[in-house]
Amino acid sequence: MARATIILLNGVGSAGKSSLAKALQAQLAAPYLHVAMDAFLEMMPLKTLGTPEGLTFETVVEDGHPAVIVHSGAAQERALRGMRHAVAAMANIGCDMIVDEVVLADVSEEYRALLAAHRLFVVGVHASLDVLEARETARGDRAIGLARWQFPRVHAGVRYDFELDTGTATPEECARAIVERFGL
């Protein structure tokens, strides 16, 4: 088994994880694959969207604002668990990766267990709620309120090796900080 390096970027939707992953790919000396959660979500058949097996979205009101709760059904959960195991399998053959995902504490611990034989750097990707909501609106491809619901939950209980704020630094600056921090 080859030893790989994995940079796990965790943050609320619209925090800038994908932009940061691309900036990292440009700056890292070795080739790193970008493994995006969104790609695994898109693997599911469209017919599962809005069903108990796939993803459902529930809009609630928090502090007078819409907040969107995402529920993953059994089929979606299997696909996301499969993503974590696929990352481990790729690491086992020596693929260096940047994993771009929205994880909660239990999932980050699963990554730590699956990748214990490798170099795993868990990076918290932060931005203020105002910045996240502005990005969410500007993107036009996200349910408005998703960031608001995720904001207090995504980072709770997650152990990070490094944290950064994409609301105050560019993707290139954040990538440079990661490269320098871990000597990559």
Side-chain angles (χ1 to χ4, degrees), residues 56-60 62 67-71 145-146 149:
T56 58
F57 301 90
E58 174 187 359
T59 302
V60 297
E62 288 186 0
V68 177
I69 303 169
V70 179
H71 300 282
L146 185 60
W149 186 82

Side-chain angles (χ1 to χ4, degrees), residues 14-72:
S14 299
K17 297 178 301 295
S18 296
S19 297
L20 175 53
K22 297 295 184 199
L24 276 165
Q25 284 182 310
Q27 291 184 30
L28 289 162
Y32 278 67
L33 303 175
H34 176 199
V35 180
M37 177 186 192
D38 287 350
F40 279 78
L41 293 175
E42 291 169 4
M43 288 181 191
M44 289 292 290
L46 283 176
K47 68 182 180 182
T48 64
L49 191 60
T51 70
E53 281 294 299
L55 285 176
T56 58
F57 301 90
E58 174 187 359
T59 302
V60 297
V61 176
E62 288 186 0
D63 300 324
H65 300 278
V68 177
I69 303 169
V70 179
H71 300 282
S72 294

Side-chain angles (χ1 to χ4, degrees), residues 16 18 20 30 66 69 90 92 114 151 177 179 182-183:
S18 296
L20 175 53
I69 303 169
M90 292 170 67
N92 288 342
L114 287 169
F151 189 76
V179 169
F182 300 120

Side-chain angles (χ1 to χ4, degrees), residues 23-181:
L24 276 165
Q25 284 182 310
Q27 291 184 30
L28 289 162
Y32 278 67
L33 303 175
H34 176 199
V35 180
M37 177 186 192
D38 287 350
F40 279 78
L41 293 175
E42 291 169 4
M43 288 181 191
M44 289 292 290
L46 283 176
K47 68 182 180 182
T48 64
L49 191 60
T51 70
E53 281 294 299
L55 285 176
T56 58
F57 301 90
E58 174 187 359
T59 302
V60 297
V61 176
E62 288 186 0
D63 300 324
H65 300 278
V68 177
I69 303 169
V70 179
H71 300 282
S72 294
Q76 186 66 65
E77 282 298 320
R78 276 192 306 275
L80 292 174
R81 187 160 186 255
M83 174 185 169
R84 296 186 288 276
H85 284 265
V87 166
M90 292 170 67
N92 288 342
I93 61 167
C95 293
D96 294 327
M97 289 169 278
I98 303 158
V99 179
D100 158 4
E101 189 171 357
V102 178
V103 301
L104 302 176
D106 59 335
V107 172
S108 71
E109 291 306 314
E110 182 179 5
Y111 268 119
R112 287 190 187 277
L114 287 169
L115 299 168
H118 303 283
R119 290 178 32 174
L120 172 64
F121 301 115
V122 181
V123 178
V125 182
H126 299 272
S128 71
L129 183 57
D130 290 342
V131 167
L132 294 168
E133 288 182 325
R135 289 177 182 171
E136 185 176 72
T137 300
R139 287 178 71 153
D141 66 347
R142 302 290 162 139
I144 302 302
L146 185 60
R148 179 168 291 274
W149 186 82
Q150 290 178 349
F151 189 76
R153 294 165 177 87
V154 167
H155 298 290
V158 178
R159 291 183 297 134
Y160 290 114
D161 301 303
F162 190 52
E163 298 181 66
L164 43 81
D165 185 343
T166 62
T168 59
T170 67
E172 292 73 24
E173 291 167 336
C174 291
R176 192 171 317 109
I178 290 170
V179 169
E180 290 172 3
R181 170 67 181 230

